[in-house]
Amino acid sequence: MYKKISILVLGFMFLVSFSIFAKQKIINGAGATFPYPVYSAWAYKYYKETGVRLNYQSIGSGGGVRQIKNRTVDFGASDAPLTPEKLNEYKLYQFPAIIGGVVPVVNIKGLKAGEFKLTKGILANIFLGKITKWNDPEISKVNPGVKLPDAKITVVHRSDGSGTTAIFTKYLAAISDEWKNKVGTGKSVNWPVGIGGKGNEGVANYVKRVKNSIGYVEFAYAKNNKLTYVLLENKEGNFVAPSFDAFKAAAAFANWDKKKGYYLWLVNAPGKDSWPIAGASFILLAKEQVESNKRVVKFYDWAFKNGDEIAEKLLYVPLPKNLKDNIRNYWRELGIY
């Protein structure tokens, strides 16, 4: 009798131990599609080196905030940073993990990436539905010699709650008072025109399929899907191409403050070479989840030390060393590093 009970107790203890061990071997996160390519690449290498698996659901920034609010994941990811007030309300910590760029992409027959220019005003007016054809005189004026079709523009935007949308609409509001007053900013807005795709993947697929369309995606999706990106007028009035150096130039002017949970937008940054629609992707942690926070922080600390080359190959900008060190001090202060 006692022997049977001992076996049962040992079996139960083994199951509990295995459950705890298994939990320690998996980190569950969800959120932004913007950084998904680089997080996936980091996760693959991290698993090979440590045996710890990162399970990241690319569901959009809105979903990431929702899941960490509900405490159903170890971390959430959002390209739209939460304000200090929201962080306090939801009892969350926040820090940036990577920097990238949002790029307008088009599907116009005969055009190659970087051959087509858009001014700030033209881009806003297309998404407002005020410019409706590709051969509109305003577009033709800044693209002399470029053959543009007498065709209706199909606008493609995100249908889900999206940090990419938050960055893009934050930019449009910065350069267009009409957009700011009529549409506004956020992870979801009431779009004046267009069709919606889910995730960066959905928008990229729509633009690939729909002739004479324009959309916006994170640069890695534009490159991986061989989409035609545009040259865009920046704050200084220069037409710049999206690139690692252009995103880095935009990030150079950032002023990060850990006391505010690193709340910061990088749109419409100064600098003659700056890409105007840059943004960081942020990690969100629940304050009370100390042990899982330590596992998440261990992964991102590894990524900060070992992931820069991977990030750069995927055309993301790694955080500068001084910011990484600042974030590590932030983790220490929180008791999770």
Side-chain angles (χ1 to χ4, degrees):
M1 179 69 176
Y2 292 111
K3 188 175 181 181
K4 285 184 178 179
I5 292 172
S6 296
I7 291 170
L8 286 171
V9 169
L10 285 170
F12 175 73
M13 288 174 67
F14 171 78
L15 287 172
V16 170
S17 299
F18 179 79
S19 175
I20 292 170
F21 176 76
K23 190 175 181 183
Q24 289 176 339
K25 287 290 199 177
I26 298 176
I27 301 167
N28 291 305
T33 64
F34 178 98
Y36 177 68
V38 69
Y39 289 178
S40 296
W42 283 346
Y44 175 74
K45 190 170 182 184
Y46 189 66
Y47 176 68
K48 285 181 71 176
E49 290 190 12
T50 68
V52 177
R53 190 182 302 277
L54 177 74
N55 173 33
Y56 182 74
Q57 303 169 55
S58 174
I59 60 173
S61 295
V65 174
R66 205 161 42 245
Q67 289 213 22
I68 192 62
K69 274 178 63 182
N70 294 335
R71 286 6 187 206
T72 55
V73 289
D74 296 314
F75 72 93
S78 176
D79 305 324
L82 297 187
T83 63
E85 293 76 21
K86 285 296 181 185
L87 291 173
N88 286 332
E89 181 184 343
Y90 302 153
K91 296 180 173 58
L92 300 176
Y93 301 131
Q94 176 176 262
F95 63 88
I98 200 72
I99 293 166
V102 177
V103 303
V105 289
V106 299
N107 180 348
I108 302 173
K109 188 176 180 181
L111 278 187
K112 296 178 182 177
E115 290 184 341
F116 182 60
K117 298 177 182 176
L118 289 178
T119 66
K120 294 174 279 192
I122 289 172
L123 183 68
N125 284 336
I126 288 174
F127 278 84
L128 282 165
K130 296 177 70 176
I131 293 178
T132 60
K133 287 198 170 185
W134 283 118
N135 65 345
D136 183 281
E138 281 192 57
I139 299 177
S140 298
K141 184 178 178 181
V142 295
N143 291 281
V146 177
K147 189 176 180 181
L148 296 168
D150 181 15
K152 186 176 182 295
I153 299 170
T154 299
V155 170
V156 183
H157 55 73
R158 289 283 288 271
S159 61
D160 53 331
S162 156
T164 308
T165 293
I167 294 170
F168 189 65
T169 57
K170 194 82 173 177
Y171 169 71
L172 291 178
I175 54 99
S176 168
D177 287 338
E178 186 172 0
W179 183 274
K180 182 179 180 180
N181 296 327
K182 285 186 176 180
V183 184
T185 67
K187 292 190 286 289
S188 296
V189 296
N190 291 320
W191 295 95
V193 291
I195 57 176
K198 188 174 182 181
N200 273 283
E201 303 96 329
V203 173
N205 287 333
Y206 263 130
V207 173
K208 281 183 80 170
R209 294 201 317 264
V210 179
K211 292 179 181 178
N212 301 306
S213 60
I214 183 170
Y216 59 93
V217 294
E218 193 280 321
F219 191 42
Y221 289 87
K223 294 290 282 186
N224 291 339
N225 288 279
K226 296 179 172 60
L227 298 176
T228 302
Y229 58 80
V230 307
L231 300 180
L232 191 59
E233 182 188 19
N234 68 11
K235 189 172 185 176
E236 312 301 336
N238 298 324
F239 287 98
V240 292
S243 69
F244 174 84
D245 288 338
F247 305 151
K248 194 173 182 179
F253 293 90
N255 182 20
W256 304 95
D257 186 351
K258 64 182 176 181
K259 292 178 182 177
K260 296 179 180 178
Y262 298 97
Y263 178 79
L264 183 72
W265 295 91
L266 296 176
V267 298
N268 207 31
K272 64 183 180 66
D273 300 317
S274 295
W275 179 252
I277 324 178
S281 198
F282 295 82
I283 302 304
L284 300 167
L285 303 174
K287 289 184 177 180
E288 75 283 358
Q289 294 180 176
V290 177
E291 292 309 311
S292 69
N293 287 347
K294 288 179 180 178
R295 294 196 298 273
V296 174
V297 160
K298 193 171 183 180
F299 169 76
Y300 280 100
D301 184 49
W302 175 92
F304 288 172
K305 292 173 182 172
N306 303 283
D308 286 4
E309 186 178 346
I310 293 170
E312 290 175 13
K313 282 181 180 176
L314 293 171
L315 299 170
Y316 292 86
V317 178
L319 303 185
K321 183 181 182 303
N322 65 334
L323 177 56
K324 291 176 183 177
D325 290 340
N326 187 285
I327 292 170
R328 289 186 180 105
N329 287 333
Y330 175 63
W331 293 338
R332 286 190 190 96
E333 289 169 12
L334 301 178
I336 56 176
Y337 181 62

